[in-house]
């Protein structure tokens, strides 16, 4: 008869200590069940946290406990509520071992008729806790998987026409916030591959993929925020400008961009035009800027305009970031 192990928690966020416990259960049991609670201690939705476990451990049965008891307590009334809830979720499923690194392992194991299997309760093997990570994810980076860490970073993208200050502000903000930025891959690609100031149709897919890779690398090293210079939506607009159409892969990536970033800032064209050899003039900038705004509106993407000097623009970004909570209805809150 197969042996079944069970563990539960908020996994807010999932860290290497949790993974050590899950992996121990996977080694010792034939089947592992993880119950994950909804909780107010983190803005990261339950479904996102559950999917971390599903992605890292495809054989684990993950149960999303949307109506589970909140918090931990050694009061017997709370213990009874939790025991009854878990027994109800299991619906008769027998459990051989209850895995935890907390005091509640004793009463849960007893209620389940299972072995109380404590894993690294003293936090000596993996010296980290959820509280530590929530306080400073960057300092705890070594204890966070690459699957998890990007969801702890606020992705801030700057869009706008050519010569509207996107590169300048992303670099300046990264320096101010002691974090990373992703520069515009398309500009580097164009400089290297252009022939008579043109690039081929298929090149736009390469640009979109290259930019995503650059972003992903920057996000994995970011400290709370990652500032990003343009995205696939801008690349899509350039493809339309060059060829009157866009490749299928780029089109799909641009569609997905709407939910890839936490905040969109639009750099306005109110600053002097920098007429370098690779640009097409201020008149072109004005038209392209209007087209970008129309595209953002068509995609129903909320954006925050940035005007004035670099100092004024950065101040506006600072104000927004100070009020922003990840995964929140930020724009709805501003209206309300």
């Amino acid at each position: 008869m197969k042996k079944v192990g069970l563990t539960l928690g908020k996994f807010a966020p999932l860290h290497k200590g949790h993974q050590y416990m899950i992996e121990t259960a996977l080694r010792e049991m034939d089947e592992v069940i993880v119950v994950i609670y909804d909780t107010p201690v983190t803005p990261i939705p339950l479904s996102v946290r559950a999917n971390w476990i599903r992605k890292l451990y495809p054989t684990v049965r993950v149960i999303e406990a949307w109506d589970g008891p909140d918090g931990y307590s050694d009061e017997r009334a709370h213990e009874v509520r939790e025991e009854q809830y878990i027994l109800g979720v299991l619906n008769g499923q027998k459990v051989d071992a209850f895995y935890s690194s907390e005091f509640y392992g004793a009463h849960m194991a007893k209620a389940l008729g299972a072995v109380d299997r404590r894993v690294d309760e003293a936090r000596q093997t993996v010296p980290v806790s959820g509280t530590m990570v929530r306080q400073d994810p960057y300092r705890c980076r070594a204890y966070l998987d690459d699957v998890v860490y990007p969801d702890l970073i606020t992705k801030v993208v700057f869009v706008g026409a050519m010569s509207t200050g996107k590169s300048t502000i992303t670099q300046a903000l990264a320096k101010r916030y002691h974090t990373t930025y992703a520069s515009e891959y398309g500009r580097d690609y164009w400089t290297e591959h252009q022939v008579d100031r043109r690039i081929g149709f298929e090149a736009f897919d390469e640009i979109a993929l290259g930019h995503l890779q650059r972003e992903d690398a920057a996000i994995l090293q970011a400290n709370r925020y990652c500032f990003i210079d343009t995205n696939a939506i801008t690349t899509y607009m350039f493809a339309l400008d060059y060829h009157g159409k866009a490749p299928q892969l780029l089109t799909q990536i641009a569609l997905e961009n709407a939910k890839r970033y936490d905040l969109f800032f639009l750099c306005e064209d109110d600053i002097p035009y920098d007429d370098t050899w690779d640009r097409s003039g201020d008149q072109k900038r004005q038209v392209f800027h209007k087209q970008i705004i129309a595209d953002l509106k068509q995609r129903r993407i909320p954006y925050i305009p940035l005007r004035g000097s670099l100092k004024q623009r950065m101040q506006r970004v600072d104000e927004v970031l100070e009020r922003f909570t990840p995964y929140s209805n930020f724009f709805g809150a501003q209206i309300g």
Side-chain angles (χ1 to χ4, degrees):
M1 182 177 294
K2 66 180 181 180
K3 297 186 294 183
V4 178
L6 170 72
T7 188
L8 58 82
K10 302 182 296 289
F11 306 101
L14 180 76
H15 54 66
K16 295 291 186 179
H18 297 133
Q19 291 184 246
Y20 180 61
M21 180 175 62
I22 292 171
E23 289 164 9
T24 299
L26 285 168
R27 287 194 301 270
E28 297 176 354
M29 298 285 113
D30 301 304
E31 180 182 347
V32 174
I33 301 169
V34 174
V35 177
I36 179 167
Y37 288 154
D38 193 24
T39 177
V41 303
T42 177
I44 301 175
L46 169 55
S47 53
V48 173
R49 290 180 280 121
N51 284 335
W52 293 335
I53 301 172
R54 292 188 179 106
K55 188 170 184 178
L56 287 167
Y57 306 106
T59 63
V60 168
R61 178 185 170 195
V62 180
I63 299 175
E64 298 180 13
W66 291 93
D67 57 347
D70 182 46
Y72 300 134
S73 172
D74 57 3
E75 293 183 0
R76 186 56 192 151
H78 178 86
E79 292 178 348
V80 169
R81 284 196 300 273
E82 187 162 42
E83 292 165 6
Q84 291 176 342
Y85 181 81
I86 294 299
L87 289 169
V89 166
L90 292 174
N91 193 28
Q93 167 77 63
K94 185 181 184 306
V95 171
D96 297 282
F98 180 75
Y99 288 79
S100 73
S101 58
E102 303 282 355
F103 66 89
Y104 58 76
H107 80 85
M108 283 303 307
K110 183 177 179 180
L112 292 166
V115 173
D116 177 10
R117 181 69 172 90
R118 305 288 177 94
V119 179
D120 196 23
E121 188 172 10
R123 306 292 198 277
Q124 292 182 340
T125 303
V126 188
V128 70
S129 69
T131 300
M132 291 169 57
V133 176
R134 289 192 297 274
Q135 290 174 345
D136 193 343
Y138 186 67
R139 182 173 293 180
C140 298
R141 180 65 181 93
Y143 300 109
L144 297 164
D145 193 274
D146 287 356
V147 168
V148 175
Y149 195 70
D151 289 323
L152 310 183
I153 299 300
T154 297
K155 277 76 76 176
V156 183
V157 65
F158 296 83
V159 298
M162 62 289 289
S163 189
T164 53
K166 302 183 297 298
S167 300
T168 301
I169 196 168
T170 53
Q171 294 178 42
L173 286 166
K175 184 177 181 179
R176 170 175 289 183
Y177 284 90
H178 306 288
T179 187
T180 57
Y181 70 93
S183 60
E184 182 184 2
Y185 182 81
R187 185 172 187 176
D188 297 339
Y189 185 98
W190 187 92
T191 301
E192 182 178 351
H193 295 91
Q194 62 85 24
V195 177
D196 295 329
R197 297 165 59 88
R198 308 291 291 181
I199 55 175
F201 183 68
E202 294 76 12
F204 286 91
D205 278 347
E206 295 182 43
I207 291 172
L209 291 172
H211 190 81
L212 288 179
Q213 292 171 359
R214 183 171 288 186
E215 284 184 13
D216 288 342
I219 289 166
L220 288 175
Q221 301 301 320
N223 179 10
R224 191 176 179 190
Y225 304 109
C226 185
F227 299 105
I228 299 161
D229 179 359
T230 76
N231 61 2
I233 293 175
T234 305
T235 304
Y236 173 85
M237 297 300 294
F238 272 112
L240 295 183
D241 185 64
Y242 270 56
H243 299 286
K245 60 181 180 179
Q248 184 175 357
L249 177 60
L250 168 59
T251 300
Q252 182 59 39
I253 294 173
L255 284 172
E256 294 169 355
N257 266 198
K259 62 180 181 181
R260 179 174 174 84
Y261 310 98
D262 297 281
L263 291 167
F264 279 74
F265 286 96
L266 173 73
C267 293
E268 296 282 8
D269 59 351
D270 62 332
I271 60 175
Y273 181 74
D274 186 13
D275 194 11
T276 57
W277 74 273
D278 56 333
R279 291 170 174 156
S280 305
D282 192 29
Q283 179 67 24
K284 179 68 174 181
R285 175 177 75 158
Q286 293 175 33
V287 172
F288 198 68
H289 194 66
K290 290 180 180 179
Q291 292 172 336
I292 286 177
I293 293 173
D295 186 76
L296 289 169
K297 291 179 177 179
Q298 183 178 353
R299 295 175 189 275
R300 308 296 197 272
I301 296 176
Y303 63 89
I304 301 165
L306 296 177
R307 301 182 180 89
S309 66
L310 175 61
K311 181 179 179 181
Q312 291 171 320
R313 293 178 177 207
M314 291 180 67
Q315 183 177 354
R316 177 61 175 147
V317 174
D318 291 341
E319 292 169 354
V320 171
L321 294 181
E322 186 177 356
R323 299 196 307 270
F324 180 73
T325 299
Y327 298 95
S328 67
N329 184 12
F330 176 73
F331 291 92
Q334 301 310 299
I335 294 171

